[in-house]
Each structure stands twice: as C-alpha cells, then as structure tokens.
Amino acid sequence: MARILTAVLFAAIGIFLAGGGIWLVALGGSLFYLLAGVAYLATAGLVLFRRPASLELFGLFTLAALGWAVWESGFEWWALAPRGGIIILSGLWLLTPWVRRSLDDDPEHTSAPAWPVAVPVAIAVGVAVFAMVNDPHDLPGQLPTDVAQASPDLGNDMPAGDWHQYGRSQYGQRYSPLDQITPENVSSLEVAWQYQTGDVKQEGDTKETTYQVTPLKIDDTLYLCTPHNWAIALDATSGEQKWKYDPNVGFNTDRQHQTCRGVTYWEDPSIAAGERCHSRVYLPTSDARLIALNADDGTVCESFAENGTLHLEQHMEYNPAGYYYSTSPPMAIDGKIIIGGAVNDNYSLYEPSGVIRGFDAQTGELLWNWDSAKPTQTEPLAEGETYTTNSPNSWSVFSADENLGLVYIPMGNQPPDQLGMNRSEAVETYSSSLTALDINTGQVRWVQQFVHHDLWDMDVPAQPVLLDLQRDGATIPAVVQATKQGDIYVLNRETGEPIIPITEEKVGSTETIPEDTAAPIQPTSGISFKPEPLTGADMWGATLFDQLACRIKFHSYKYAGRYTPPSLQGSIVYPGNFGTFNWGSVAVDPTRQVMFAMPVYLAFTSRLVPADKIPAKDAKATASEVGLNRNDGADYGVDMGPLYSPLGIPCQEPPWGYVAGVDLTTGETMWQHKNGTVEDLAPLPVPIKLGVPGIGGPMITGGGVAFMGAAVDNYLRAYDLTTGDVLWKARLPAGGQATPMSYEQDGTQYVVMVAGGHGSVGTKPGDYVIAYKLAGK
C-alpha cells in the first residue's frame, strides 16, 4: 500500500511540476521545474517497480535542487524554504520504514538502505538551519546622536506638549520635543485610556473604508475625525468625549475612499478668546464639504461660507456624486484655508478638477484658485466659469513656511493615470511633482517633478517635511519629500533646487500602445529606497507549486524595471500602487538631523483593456482602485491588482516591509531592519518576523524613541531611533493604519494611536482611540 501511495503521490507532484515547467520554459523561464518534474516522475516509476535505485535517484536530485536553490537565492531562509520544503518532506517520506521495505522483493522484507536519501536530506537541513540564523536583509548601524541644532525651527509656535496640525506643525515633521519617554523606560508604557467612536464599517460602505486619523491636541482637548467624518473632541487626561458632530455624509459606493486623516484647527483673531467660534475646527467630508465647527462645543460656525458649510463642488464642470472629496485636512495659515481634494482614479474622462484653492478662513470667501492645467490664472473664477476637467489633483497633506510665504503641494496625476495621451504642457509640468505656491496669490514659485509623463499612478502621496538642514557648515531651508517610487528628495524649500543630488536614469523600456509615449529617462534621488529590478528568481511562494505559478505569472507580463509602461499584455508595476512610501510620509528629528522611514515593497500589475472589451457595469459593484477601472469615455480601461500567488500572498520574495534610519546631513542610510510579523496574515497566529507591508506613518519624540503602527500585524511599536531596534510593542484591537502622535497633559506624556483597520489592506476594522503613558505617571 505504501508503495502504491508513494508512486501516485510522486507522480502527481511530477505531473504538476513537469507540466508547469514546460509552460515556464516556453515563456523563457527556469528549466529547473521541468527537470524536477521529470525527477519526481522517474522516482515514482522506480518506486512502483520496487527499485531501490529510486532512493539514489531522489538523493541525487535533492543535492542538485539544493545547489540550484543556493545558486539562485543564497543562504536566505525565506528564499530557500519554498524551493526545498516539498523536496525535503518527500525525502523524509522515502526514508520511512514502510516505504523502504516496499522497495525489496525479498520475502523477509529487508529495507532498502537509507543513506542515499538520508545524507542529502541531512545536508539540506543543515543548510536550512544555517540560513535561519543568517539575515542578508538586515543592515545594522547607528544614527548620529550629536545635537546638530539645539533650538531647531519646529514650525509654528505652540507649547511643547501640544500637537496643533496633522504633522504637529505646518512643517509636517511628526516630531514631538517631549522627552519623558526614553529608550530606557519605554518598556513600562501601559494603556492610560481607551475610547471607541462608534463609527464602524457598515454594509453599503465602499471597500476602502479606513481609519487613518492623527488627532490634534490643543490645550486640554484632542480633536479628531472618523471614517464617516464625525468630528469628536476628547478630554486629554481621561479620553472622555466632550462633543461629537455628525455631518451625515451617508453612503456612496462610488467613493473610492471612505476615510478622514484629520481635522484642522484655527483661531480667529477678530473674535475675542473665549467667545464663540474664536477657536474653530474645520472638518473635510467625503461628500465634498468643508464645515467650520466651534472648537468648544462642536456646533456649526454659521458665519463661515453658507451657514457654516463650504461646498467644494463649486465651479466644477462635472460633479458626479462620490467622485470628489477631501480625505486630508486642509492647511490653515495666515488667515487662509488652503485645500485640495481627492478625485476618483480611472473612473471617467469627465471628472471634477484637481484645483487647489485658498479661502478666507473666517468667511469662506474664495481668495485664489490654482488649477494646474491653467497655472497662471489664479484669480477667483467668475460666476459660470469652470475649472479644468480632470486636471491633476492633490489629495495628501500640505506643508507651509509662513516666513517664505509658501505652501507645498504634493501633486497627483490627471486621470486616467495609465493613459498619457492628450495631456497638455502644463499638465505634464505639474503632474507627480512637488509644487510651491505663494500663500497669498496661489502663483507658482517653483516646481520639481519626480516622474516624467507618469503612466503608473506614481502621484506624490506624502506630506512634505520641512526642516533647516545643516550641511557643509551652512544652514539650508530644506524640504524632504518621500515618493511612491522609493526616492526621497531633499530640496531647498525656498528655490526647489536639489540639496541631495538628483540624477536622470535611462529606463528599461519605452514601448507603449501606439497612441501613447513613455519618457526615456526618469529622475532618481541620492537618497533612494528604490527596489532592485525583479527577476524570475525573486518569485516566491509557500511551496514549490505556488512559486512555480508565480514564476509563470512573472514571465507572462511585460517587465523591464521600475518604469515598465502599461500594455495590453499586462505589465508589472514595481514598486506597486501602494508605493514604497505613501501618505504616512517620514518623520524627521530636526535636532539630530535624522529621518525615520518605512519603505514597503509590493509588486502590482496593470493591463490595459480596450473599451469595447469592458463589460457593462455591475450595479452592485463598489468603488476600488483594485480590479477593473473603467475610464468611461477613454479608449482603454485598466485592470490592476497586486501580483499575488494562488494562495493570495505576494509573489515576490519577502521582506515586504522595513524600517530605516537616514542621516540627512550625508544622505546615508545608517540602519535598515525588517518590520512586522505574519501573526495576522498566516492561518496560525505565529509572530514570525518576515517584514510585512504597512500603510501609515511614524512619529519621533525628543526622548529618542520613534513610534509607528502601520504594519499589518496589528501592533503599535516603539523603536530606538538610534539603532532601529524594537523596544516595546502593544497589541492593538484592530489594524493600526494611522500615524501616532504624542502630547503632554498635567506633567504626563501620552502617546495616542488610532486603531480602525484598512479595508483594502484587509486588517481588522474597529473604532478605537488608545492613549499610552508610563506606568506610575
């Protein structure tokens, strides 16, 4: 019985590997899987006919497979495991007494000798054990600890214990000067209070319903919003609710995103302190409104705009419900509210404009509008005039330097993202760029583009980070801009000129559909986390079988590196649509001139679909950036998604997520470590440190501790800023796809994390706001 079972099992494995191997070879891939299939089939035949030579054959194959695996991937456990796991298990099965006894016709059932398989399997296991303790992906090191600037410019003035804007100040540094929590005592952090908003994902919500808010802290109150745009004020000491305002945004499955990253706080100098609406909270909503609330009680400030509500769809030629909304808090500066908006990706040629507008913060009067398709015409539009349809938008968070009179806008693309035909010269100039606008007029002061003729949705997703940088004995006003494609640009924020050099590199392919073109060169920064180009050897899987499937997938797509143009065949986009960096940005310590970052690596695919091949829209479909994007009115739609194996895991080899520390004075990455475990990804909750994807951002404190959730294993972690080592972690009740903040109240430093999950990432949904403090405080 054992002999027949073994022969059938090995034959089945052999047929799968040989069949898939033939397919892979035909696509130009590795010959190994075909040869492995032949070896399994030959072993099955020998076992069926009771030949002890089956053990010798399989032993030789095991050694050959081990040599191939090490040649392809080196001594890296997670690369070797799928290549050798099935083979080692097969060898161990052949070593069982009941199999070896079945290979001899002797009536006394003398077992065939074990050594032909035992020795190769033992060697393979020894290599695997060595690989387990070897981590070629780890870069140990230390960031400098010297104080480069004892009294750095942290942006707009506020008490050290407050957090007034999304990135704490208009500079977006995500740096709190509080130093009560240190590497020495952070392990004693405990929950101080926990609050649940009551706003949870519901039936009828779009897929990407996410909780990404970073609360503000002013005086003794925290201000935050929820996915459905409730504004909430909490007591900073107890976490008790002071007030809640629900704008009743309802449900609309045409919204690609149902989220709120934050609210904006502003004080009206024309109203006396303590009077109603002196302190205001501005709430952006997913139905294209901006609502001014009295910060003291959450009631609407009726003197703003139309009874407290500014309707952002004004002057839009096309305005389908759910196509335009603000997911990020606007910038309040110099008596103005400056706001952009998210426009649905790849829905239609007839979408709202991506215009950036400056309004009077007190009255809601339009002061200027910057439409990147008409960049010099910033005077307010007259009645009946409209902004440019589908012009590039900015959906992320702005930063500003009030002394220079500049607001910094991370720019997106003109939809459709993957089709570059019919873009104007102005659109080509400002797409995927960082653009500095005059706060008072909206006129462009400078622009630096990071992707030429963007065909990959590589919009600039992260809030720019401002600091005064010490280099070569001089102090330079700098802006640090993280990008999806993995480059981190360091520019002079007054002029836009590079501080860290930018080079133009030739791309691997410019082959596009006949109607389009691709840029032959693309910029790269001297600080770059761009991934190495993928090869077939980088394809991964839990087993040899899904690894083979991933290699077939890889060779079925077009791929020529980071900027492979979209195609009808389908192209690999790497880094993918989530980007190496996204809206979580990076955190900077301006005293030490160092940066904490979370680079992520996930490959995506995009395939252009001719309009006449696009099926009718499903009435039950909900908006998503993954899957078929219709591009109504265009010649092509686009089908996008992550490059996943049949088991639903990334096809490319891990790690997929890191943390990294960069010395900004030199541009050198001083340390880089895998980040996160598969505890909430695997069928069994085993906390294996694989290095997992994340979406969210970090925060740095003056005590030398960085905090970040973001990873898909539902933990808030504290890191030693100097070394990147994890010092403490807390299990979150839901996904932590937000950016933490820190504040002080009554002499106690708190760290706050929102845990509500992310619909597209698939982490656990929730509605939690959790504050931590040191034990005994």
Side-chain angles (χ1 to χ4, degrees):
M1 181 64 182
R3 175 175 58 86
I4 300 298
L5 177 62
T6 301
V8 170
L9 177 63
F10 274 55
I13 294 173
I15 290 170
F16 183 93
L17 293 177
I22 291 171
W23 189 359
L24 181 60
V25 170
L27 292 170
S30 172
L31 186 63
F32 171 79
Y33 299 86
L34 172 56
L35 297 178
V38 172
Y40 266 94
L41 287 170
T43 301
L46 291 171
V47 168
L48 184 64
F49 290 102
R50 301 181 184 274
R51 299 292 189 266
S54 57
L55 301 184
E56 297 172 11
L57 172 62
F58 200 81
L60 290 173
F61 165 65
T62 300
L63 289 175
L66 176 62
W68 165 78
V70 172
W71 171 74
E72 269 209 335
S73 59
F75 295 99
E76 207 280 302
W77 162 253
W78 291 108
L80 292 176
R83 289 170 168 84
I86 293 294
I87 296 171
I88 290 175
L89 289 175
S90 299
L92 292 173
W93 174 255
L94 290 176
L95 288 174
T96 58
W98 49 86
V99 173
R100 288 190 295 116
R101 281 199 301 266
S102 73
L103 299 179
D104 199 312
D105 289 327
D106 190 296
E108 296 181 5
H109 296 290
T110 302
S111 296
W115 69 265
V117 172
V119 172
V121 166
I123 293 172
V125 170
V127 169
V129 171
F130 172 74
M132 284 182 179
V133 298
N134 179 50
D135 189 355
H137 301 287
D138 191 66
L139 174 65
Q142 291 192 348
L143 288 170
T145 57
D146 295 340
V147 174
Q149 284 195 342
S151 300
D153 187 355
L154 303 183
N156 41 298
D157 291 335
M158 71 184 81
D162 277 11
W163 190 286
H164 279 200
Q165 290 171 292
Y166 180 79
R168 188 174 182 269
S169 76
Q170 294 163 352
Y171 279 15
Q173 294 169 346
R174 291 163 180 75
Y175 171 78
S176 168
L178 300 177
D179 59 5
Q180 188 177 99
I181 299 170
T182 67
E184 291 72 33
N185 64 22
V186 67
S187 61
S188 68
L189 281 180
E190 61 183 18
V191 174
W193 54 261
Q194 177 175 294
Y195 169 81
Q196 289 185 257
T197 68
D199 184 3
V200 295
K201 186 174 182 179
Q202 301 178 45
E203 186 177 350
D205 268 326
T206 191
K207 179 180 180 181
E208 192 163 299
T209 298
T210 67
Y211 204 7
Q212 300 174 359
V213 69
T214 299
L216 309 183
K217 190 266 185 180
I218 295 93
D219 297 329
D220 62 353
T221 305
L222 298 182
Y223 300 98
L224 58 121
C225 57
T226 70
H228 293 94
N229 308 124
W230 301 356
I232 296 174
L234 303 177
D235 183 276
T237 302
S238 65
E240 293 181 1
Q241 179 179 302
K242 290 187 172 183
W243 56 257
K244 181 181 77 173
Y245 173 81
D246 180 0
N248 297 307
V249 298
F251 303 99
N252 187 330
T253 55
D254 276 337
R255 297 172 189 154
Q256 284 181 326
H257 311 274
Q258 184 68 59
T259 193
C260 185
R261 296 190 185 94
V263 295
T264 300
Y265 179 84
W266 181 71
E267 293 181 352
D268 188 341
S270 69
I271 300 176
E275 295 296 318
R276 188 173 183 277
C277 290
H278 164 73
S279 300
R280 301 185 184 190
V281 171
Y282 291 89
L283 174 69
T285 71
S286 56
D287 58 357
R289 290 180 285 163
L290 182 66
I291 303 172
L293 303 174
N294 180 20
D296 294 333
D297 59 13
T299 57
V300 173
C301 295
E302 294 87 351
S303 61
F304 177 75
E306 298 178 30
N307 296 317
T309 297
L310 181 62
H311 293 277
L312 298 173
E313 72 274 14
Q314 57 185 289
H315 295 293
M316 298 292 185
E317 182 178 5
Y318 299 100
N319 185 43
Y323 279 44
Y324 180 89
Y325 38 87
S326 291
T327 57
S328 298
M331 170 62 66
I333 188 168
D334 190 32
K336 301 172 183 65
I337 288 285
I338 302 174
I339 190 168
V343 177
N344 279 348
D345 283 330
N346 309 322
Y347 255 40
S348 169
L349 291 186
Y350 311 104
E351 298 198 27
S353 173
V355 62
I356 312 299
R357 287 171 283 188
F359 296 94
D360 185 297
Q362 182 187 52
T363 66
E365 177 190 358
L366 179 63
L367 302 176
W368 55 259
N369 34 233
W370 181 70
D371 182 344
S372 57
K374 299 177 180 178
T376 62
Q377 301 174 22
T378 63
E379 63 279 359
L381 295 192
E383 185 69 30
E385 293 183 319
T386 58
Y387 301 120
T388 306
T389 296
N390 275 22
S391 59
N393 68 316
S394 182
W395 53 266
S396 191
V397 186
F398 306 158
S399 297
D401 185 329
E402 193 161 4
N403 292 326
L404 292 177
L406 293 178
V407 59
Y408 302 91
I409 313 294
M411 289 297 296
N413 312 305
Q414 172 180 298
D417 295 318
Q418 287 74 25
L419 301 177
M421 304 87 80
N422 305 317
R423 293 179 182 173
S424 69
E425 181 180 351
V427 166
E428 293 284 27
T429 298
Y430 295 104
S431 290
S432 304
S433 73
L434 179 63
T435 299
L437 301 181
D438 186 291
I439 290 171
N440 293 312
T441 66
Q443 288 287 338
V444 175
R445 295 267 285 271
W446 58 258
V447 58
Q448 184 68 247
Q449 188 173 66
F450 305 133
V451 183
H452 306 320
H453 195 65
D454 188 352
L455 301 174
W456 305 273
D457 191 22
M458 291 297 173
D459 46 7
V460 182
Q463 181 182 20
V465 181
L466 279 52
L467 80 157
D468 291 338
L469 189 61
Q470 301 294 312
R471 275 179 75 85
D472 303 323
T475 300
I476 306 173
V479 54
V480 178
Q481 182 63 67
T483 63
K484 281 187 177 181
Q485 61 271 27
D487 295 307
I488 294 180
Y489 293 88
V490 184
L491 312 173
N492 184 311
R493 68 175 182 267
E494 185 172 8
T495 66
E497 293 298 313
I499 298 172
I500 300 291
I502 299 174
T503 57
E504 296 280 352
E505 297 182 355
K506 186 177 180 180
V507 303
S509 172
T510 58
E511 182 183 357
T512 65
I513 54 175
E515 301 94 325
D516 210 342
T517 60
I521 57 173
Q522 293 287 357
T524 294
S525 173
I527 300 177
S528 185
F529 291 88
K530 63 181 180 181
E532 291 295 320
L534 294 172
T535 68
D538 294 316
M539 294 301 101
W540 194 68
T543 67
L544 202 60
F545 307 129
D546 53 314
Q547 185 186 53
L548 171 57
C550 280
R551 291 182 91 136
I552 290 171
K553 260 192 173 185
F554 175 79
H555 287 283
S556 298
Y557 287 102
K558 288 191 173 184
Y559 180 67
R562 190 160 55 145
Y563 295 104
T564 305
S567 63
L568 293 169
Q569 175 182 329
S571 300
I572 292 176
V573 183
Y574 185 58
N577 294 48
F578 272 3
T580 303
F581 300 102
N582 208 295
W583 54 263
S585 193
V586 296
V588 166
D589 181 338
T591 65
R592 293 168 56 179
Q593 309 271 284
V594 298
M595 181 183 78
F596 185 101
M598 183 192 67
V600 171
Y601 301 96
L602 278 179
F604 270 60
T605 64
S606 70
R607 181 176 60 88
L608 298 179
V609 182
D612 59 2
K613 300 292 178 61
I614 297 176
K617 185 177 180 180
D618 185 349
K620 297 181 179 179
T622 61
S624 176
E625 293 181 272
V626 174
L628 180 61
N629 286 224
R630 304 178 62 83
N631 290 339
D632 289 338
D635 292 335
Y636 300 91
V638 60
D639 195 358
M640 300 186 298
L643 183 62
Y644 277 175
S645 80
L647 299 182
I649 58 178
C651 266
Q652 96 250 17
E653 186 181 296
W656 305 305
Y658 294 88
V659 288
V662 177
D663 181 350
L664 289 172
T665 63
T666 65
E668 184 178 358
T669 299
M670 305 304 295
W671 54 258
Q672 183 167 309
H673 310 305
K674 292 185 292 188
N675 186 55
T677 72
V678 295
E679 180 171 348
D680 293 301
L681 294 177
L684 297 176
V686 181
I688 300 171
K689 189 176 180 180
L690 193 62
V692 297
I695 189 162
M699 178 265 294
I700 295 174
T701 64
V705 181
F707 290 88
M708 189 173 69
V712 294
D713 60 353
N714 301 350
Y715 280 96
L716 172 65
R717 291 179 169 87
Y719 305 81
D720 187 317
L721 178 61
T722 301
T723 65
D725 295 335
V726 176
L727 303 171
W728 168 89
K729 63 180 181 179
R731 184 71 168 158
L732 297 172
Q737 282 66 59
T739 300
M741 54 83 73
S742 186
Y743 68 91
E744 184 181 63
Q745 188 66 29
D746 300 326
T748 298
Q749 182 180 355
Y750 296 82
V751 173
V752 171
M753 183 70 197
V754 166
H758 192 290
S760 291
V761 175
T763 50
K764 183 179 178 182
D767 62 340
Y768 299 88
V769 183
I770 307 172
Y772 301 86
K773 65 177 182 178
L774 296 173
K777 288 291 184 178

